[in-house]
Amino acid sequence: MRKYCRLAGLLCCLMTHSIASAQSVVFIDPGKSDEIYWVTAAHAMESAARSLGMHLDVRYAERDHPRSMDIEREIAALPVGKRPDFAIVTNDYATGPELLRILDGAGIKTLFAYSRILSAPELVDAGRPRARFKGWLGSLEPRAEDAGYLTAHALITRARAARAFGSDGKLHLLAIGGDRSSTTSILRDAGMRRAAAEAHDVMLDQEVFAGWTRDKAAEQSEWLFQRYPDARLIWAGNDLMAFGAMDTWEKRGGMPGKDAFFSGINTSSAAMEDLRAGRLSALAGGHFMCGAWALVLLYDYAHGHDFADEGLELERPMFMLFTPAEAERFTARFGDTDFSQIDFRRFSKILNPKLKHYDFSFAQLMR
Amino acid sequence: MPKPAFRPLAASLIRKTILIATLSAVCVAAVQALLAYRQAHRQFDLSMRDIASTSLPMLSGSLWDIEPETVRRQVQAIADRYRIGYVRLEARTGQVFEAGRPAMRVAGASEHFDIPYPYQKTGSLGGLDIWPDADALYAEVARSVSSAVLGYVLLTGVVCLTLAIILRRDLQRPMQHIADFVTHMRAETLTRPLALQRPSAHTRDEIDLVADGFRTLQDGLNSYITTLDNLVADRTKELKTAMDAVHELSITDPLTGCFNRRLFNERFQQEIERAIRYSRALSIAYCDVDHFKQINDRYGHAVGDRVLVQVVDMFRQQLREGVDWMSRYGGEEFIIVQPETPLAAAQASAERLRRAIADARVNAGGTAIQVTASFGVAQLGPGENATILLGRADALLYEAKQAGRNCVFPPVPGT
């Protein structure tokens, strides 16, 4: 059955190939070219592109917002024949509307991945997909709130079990968020707050923003630990910030996972390692696949199956909460950021006409 | 002893003005410095409070959100502000942020501010200490003082300059002029008026008073000198009169008013010499009042004196005025000198005199008495001198006495 399927897919692929040449996609990677999360994301996308027979060009903005704009302008300035068909961009630091303006002017269709245009001023600027900017196809993003909620909930459960109550009988939680403006950060924090609010024995002492970096998280946690001596729960918006806070805790003579509990988001090998070692009490990840999933959407769109039937602004669960065992399995399977064993055609509606809903959860890749 | 060096009044006035102005400037600068220092201190305090009050909310937010980099930048921004020397922020959790120049961190000079919690929470997140920039403070004081002193010096300079010009024009030059005028004043130029080259003005000043004083003095001197000249002339005239009187006395017989013997001797010699030199005739008549001693004895000396006076009056009436002259040669002896007169004329003249005396009467205490006189007339002969001529006249008088008195010898023919 699977063989048939593959054959059909291949045929299909060949057919579409004969109809139109392979779709070319450019991905403006907001991260640095050595930043593990964004490199992993790019690798996953490359695997997906290969798997789907698309041409992918990854450009790193190196966390320099004006640079992403420059890259867009460069692309828009290319001769018409050399311009990519699609661009996958992120809405980091509210650069979205301006990116849209550039790309739409150049006739390049744009899909937001990872983060979308969300805030009111941005919406005033950009409107809705396929309205003011016709080439703005829509957006696909992980349900970032999940990540915050899953990790915070697991963290609280773990701490409660370890009876890490403060003198007032409450679990004192400190939150180290990424930044104040990006959608991802806002939503992850919201998930964390939802979990904290649900638990009546949790006191969220303070929330700070460490800019996603380990050093600043380490520095801020130093202050926080002094400010809140009762705090034993440290929630972090990513893995690096969790590491920073753990560094500080250890420096103060504590033992992460024993006398204080930390949670992080991401699937870096270091995070997986800490999870297995028990130093990290909760870890969620899998959203790095968002770009690869976006390619699946574009593949279907290019071949005549518009994802509009599921909505233009898709927000899908992509996170999974890893257990130490799953961490081990993840490392074994994807530890070298090689995702070539994943057959992305399985998720295409064009190639799988029976598929009614896109399922982008990471858990299915771990089975 | 040498004269002290000349120093113009204006120069010393200016010098003293400058000295006083300098002393005042020092006082002004000191007071200004004190005021400016206090003012600057107040302003610095206000500035620090202003800066702190505007910075505290941001610091509070950054501290609360634990944004050390932002806190560091904010602290640096405060330190970079004018008037701020050093800033030190100590979080309640022990972290310290410092910026500025450590040299400004002087104990006791700082202002302390508590950094409140944001969101109306009570308590303090930490403390902010701000030290003023002492250099800026002193620079402000210096600027204030120097501008005040500069203004003062400029004003003083203008005042001194104006003063110098006015003094030079209105005081020094006229005074110099007056001094030169007085220095070069001579007796002969005493009356030359003092002319000052001054612009005419509607008002008068001290120089005008001095000039007026000089004019008054000159006028006074002039009038005094004139008076003195008149006085000298008067006195000289008086003296001459006195001298003339004395001379008159010395050559005149006080009783009769005719020449005395001393003058006769002198003048007679001159008459002789002139007659000889010009070969002119010169005759003399030697006269003696007859029985004069008896008249004196009989009627007293007063009558005797009156006789003599009357005889002389008669001579004066009979003789040629301005040509003939006479002298009382002895007690009752008279010599009449008649220049340009030959013997005959002299004889006739003597006869006329004898007759006049004999015809007259002299009042002697109610009694009229007759007086007579005898005459010896002689003409200067060739080779004769005064003594010989006198001797001959005296001899002829003696002959007339011998001939009975009241006669002329040699007798006039026909008498």
Side-chain angles (χ1 to χ4, degrees):
Chain A
M1 180 66 193
R2 191 177 267 185
K3 256 185 188 171
Y4 277 46
C5 257
R6 279 200 181 163
L7 196 70
L10 194 69
L11 267 170
C12 216
C13 192
L14 282 170
M15 273 168 62
T16 53
H17 216 86
S18 60
I19 299 163
S21 60
Q23 295 79 40
S24 60
V25 182
V26 67
F27 172 49
I28 315 292
D29 191 327
K32 296 188 174 180
S33 49
D34 59 354
E35 193 174 336
I36 185 69
Y37 172 80
W38 287 108
V39 171
T40 309
H43 285 181
M45 285 176 80
E46 276 157 6
S47 293
R50 261 195 306 279
S51 178
L52 295 166
M54 301 171 89
H55 180 263
L56 178 70
D57 181 13
V58 178
R59 305 280 190 95
Y60 289 94
E62 306 287 351
R63 285 224 177 265
D64 180 9
H65 332 137
R67 188 157 166 185
S68 60
M69 230 81 85
D70 293 342
I71 294 168
E72 294 298 332
R73 286 196 195 93
E74 275 170 39
I75 293 165
L78 287 172
V80 177
K82 290 194 174 175
R83 283 182 204 160
D85 302 311
F86 301 102
I88 297 176
V89 298
T90 63
N91 183 29
D92 282 74
Y93 302 101
T95 49
E98 185 60 26
L99 290 179
L100 274 178
R101 210 171 326 238
I102 297 166
L103 292 170
D104 202 52
I108 298 165
K109 291 191 164 65
T110 309
L111 181 67
F112 278 89
Y114 295 98
S115 51
R116 61 175 164 130
I117 287 179
L118 187 71
S119 72
E122 289 175 315
L123 288 171
V124 168
D125 255 11
R128 309 294 333 174
R130 307 189 189 184
R132 187 182 305 168
F133 299 113
K134 300 286 179 209
W136 175 18
L137 298 179
S139 60
L140 173 66
E141 59 182 341
R143 223 165 63 192
E145 206 258 4
D146 285 356
Y149 182 83
L150 290 172
T151 48
H153 189 266
L155 181 70
I156 291 164
T157 309
R158 173 76 185 84
R160 195 183 288 132
R163 308 208 54 75
F165 297 105
S167 49
D168 57 352
K170 294 219 167 177
L171 295 169
H172 285 266
L173 172 65
L174 297 173
I176 304 175
D179 59 71
R180 291 171 190 277
S181 56
S182 77
T183 316
T184 311
S185 185
I186 292 165
L187 290 173
R188 284 182 192 179
D189 292 354
M192 175 274 298
R193 276 198 295 275
R194 182 158 64 90
E198 279 175 7
H200 298 291
D201 54 352
V202 170
M203 176 82 184
L204 175 58
D205 281 336
Q206 196 180 343
E207 206 180 334
V208 295
F209 300 92
W212 307 108
T213 64
R214 184 172 189 154
D215 290 349
K216 191 164 176 191
E219 187 173 23
Q220 287 183 325
S221 56
E222 174 85 46
W223 293 59
L224 287 171
F225 293 146
Q226 287 174 323
R227 215 178 263 176
Y228 306 104
D230 277 351
R232 291 291 180 272
L233 286 73
I234 295 92
W235 176 91
N238 72 357
D239 51 347
L240 289 172
M241 297 191 291
F243 297 154
M246 283 154 72
D247 292 344
T248 304
W249 188 256
E250 283 171 334
K251 216 185 288 169
R252 292 168 61 89
M255 290 171 68
K258 297 275 191 301
D259 48 12
F261 305 95
F262 297 81
S263 80
I265 297 169
N266 268 353
T267 48
S268 66
S269 52
M272 292 296 173
E273 179 59 39
D274 275 3
L275 184 64
R276 276 186 305 172
R279 286 157 51 80
L280 261 182
S281 301
L283 181 71
H287 61 302
F288 66 90
M289 291 295 291
C290 185
W293 300 136
L295 280 173
V296 172
L297 291 188
L298 287 181
Y299 178 86
D300 283 355
Y301 176 87
H303 291 88
H305 195 118
D306 195 342
F307 57 87
D309 58 349
E310 288 200 42
L312 295 179
E313 292 170 291
L314 302 178
E315 194 181 4
R316 290 297 153 111
M318 292 181 196
F319 287 97
M320 78 170 276
L321 191 67
F322 292 90
T323 61
E326 284 164 334
E328 205 155 332
R329 208 178 311 149
F330 180 90
T331 309
R333 217 175 268 184
F334 308 118
D336 48 3
T337 66
D338 177 11
F339 305 96
S340 56
Q341 57 176 293
I342 302 172
D343 177 10
F344 284 93
R345 290 175 302 175
R346 279 202 286 141
F347 308 102
S348 160
K349 283 182 177 176
I350 278 285
L351 299 176
N352 306 282
K354 282 189 207 157
L355 203 60
K356 294 293 174 235
H357 282 282
Y358 288 119
D359 178 9
F360 297 143
S361 70
F362 197 79
Q364 62 186 319
L365 302 177
M366 291 295 293
R367 280 181 209 122
Chain B
M1 207 175 122
K3 249 205 226 170
F6 174 73
R7 196 165 75 178
L9 197 60
S12 91
L13 201 61
I14 299 273
R15 197 166 301 151
K16 273 174 191 144
T17 307
I18 288 171
L19 181 72
I20 290 165
T22 309
L23 287 174
S24 306
V26 169
C27 295
V28 165
V31 171
Q32 178 71 21
L34 189 71
L35 292 177
Y37 181 79
R38 287 169 57 181
Q39 170 79 1
H41 236 293
R42 238 187 337 266
Q43 280 180 352
F44 271 57
D45 282 353
L46 282 175
S47 276
M48 287 198 292
R49 263 176 228 146
D50 266 4
I51 290 167
S53 65
T54 50
S55 307
L56 282 177
M58 287 197 306
L59 279 173
S60 166
S62 308
L63 275 177
W64 174 251
D65 289 340
I66 315 183
E67 295 289 349
E69 185 52 34
T70 312
V71 173
R72 199 193 59 72
R73 275 206 309 276
Q74 284 166 347
V75 167
Q76 183 65 52
I78 296 173
D80 288 344
R81 294 282 289 270
Y82 178 62
R83 290 177 172 166
I84 301 297
Y86 193 73
V87 181
R88 184 176 190 277
L89 185 153
E90 183 167 354
R92 206 167 49 83
T93 42
Q95 291 80 3
V96 171
F97 299 84
E98 289 170 304
R101 286 181 294 157
M104 294 299 152
R105 198 178 158 185
V106 182
S110 72
E111 285 272 339
H112 180 83
F113 304 93
D114 271 331
I115 303 169
Y117 275 99
Y119 320 120
Q120 280 90 40
K121 274 177 79 177
T122 51
S124 158
L125 267 176
L128 179 70
D129 286 285
I130 305 181
W131 282 265
D133 183 351
D135 291 350
L137 187 123
Y138 291 126
E140 252 177 53
V141 172
R143 203 156 41 238
S144 162
V145 170
S146 58
S147 69
V149 169
L150 187 72
Y152 187 85
V153 166
L154 270 178
L155 180 70
T156 309
V158 169
V159 166
C160 283
L161 197 69
T162 313
L163 205 61
I165 291 168
I166 290 172
L167 283 175
R168 179 174 286 273
R169 193 190 61 194
D170 293 349
L171 184 68
Q172 189 183 345
R173 281 210 192 120
M175 287 304 260
Q176 194 81 49
H177 194 98
I178 290 170
D180 286 348
F181 178 79
V182 174
T183 308
H184 296 108
M185 190 176 261
R186 297 284 176 274
E188 58 272 22
T189 59
L190 199 60
T191 52
R192 197 181 67 192
L194 169 62
L196 287 179
Q197 283 149 4
R198 309 185 73 205
S200 57
H202 295 296
T203 54
R204 289 154 53 74
D205 57 18
E206 289 83 347
I207 300 294
D208 292 317
L209 293 182
V210 171
D212 286 353
F214 263 96
R215 278 181 208 118
T216 309
L217 182 65
Q218 274 183 305
D219 291 348
L221 276 174
N222 277 335
S223 69
Y224 179 73
I225 287 165
T226 311
T227 313
L228 206 61
D229 282 349
N230 290 339
L231 205 63
V232 168
D234 285 353
R235 290 285 178 279
T236 309
K237 205 169 154 192
E238 279 172 23
L239 194 63
K240 193 169 182 308
T241 309
M243 288 286 282
D244 287 351
V246 168
H247 185 249
E248 198 70 21
L249 280 176
S250 73
I251 60 168
T252 314
D253 169 43
L255 180 66
T256 59
C258 59
F259 296 131
N260 60 18
R261 189 168 173 169
R262 201 172 61 81
L263 187 100
F264 172 83
N265 290 338
E266 202 178 295
R267 196 168 168 178
F268 184 57
Q269 191 58 42
Q270 289 167 4
E271 289 283 2
I272 298 277
E273 282 167 11
R274 191 169 63 215
I276 291 167
R277 192 183 312 135
Y278 300 108
S279 304
R280 310 303 289 191
L282 174 69
S283 298
I284 63 168
Y286 209 134
C287 167
D288 186 276
V289 178
D290 297 332
H291 303 295
F292 186 71
K293 192 171 167 22
Q294 284 99 314
I295 294 169
N296 263 344
D297 293 345
R298 190 168 170 185
Y299 301 108
H301 284 287
V303 173
D305 286 350
R306 205 180 297 141
V307 166
L308 292 179
V309 170
Q310 203 164 327
V311 166
V312 169
D313 280 346
M314 270 182 281
F315 285 171
R316 284 203 182 104
Q317 286 163 18
Q318 298 297 325
L319 290 174
R320 292 175 299 178
E321 199 184 341
V323 181
D324 301 336
W325 56 280
M326 63 199 153
S327 163
R328 189 177 173 195
Y329 198 70
E332 71 281 15
E333 289 175 11
F334 298 91
I335 294 174
I336 298 157
V337 182
Q338 292 175 297
E340 312 284 338
T341 309
L343 182 62
Q347 279 175 282
S349 177
E351 184 53 36
R352 225 172 28 249
L353 289 174
R354 184 200 60 79
R355 213 173 281 148
I357 293 166
D359 291 346
R361 292 295 177 269
V362 177
N363 181 18
T367 319
I369 57 170
Q370 189 195 15
V371 178
T372 59
S374 305
F375 297 82
V377 179
Q379 186 183 350
L380 180 66
E384 280 184 334
N385 61 13
T387 314
I388 293 170
L389 181 59
L390 274 176
R392 266 202 309 123
D394 190 23
L396 287 166
L397 176 63
Y398 185 73
E399 275 182 51
K401 291 277 186 186
Q402 290 302 315
R405 298 182 168 90
N406 196 20
C407 61
V408 175
F409 258 80
V412 180
T415 58

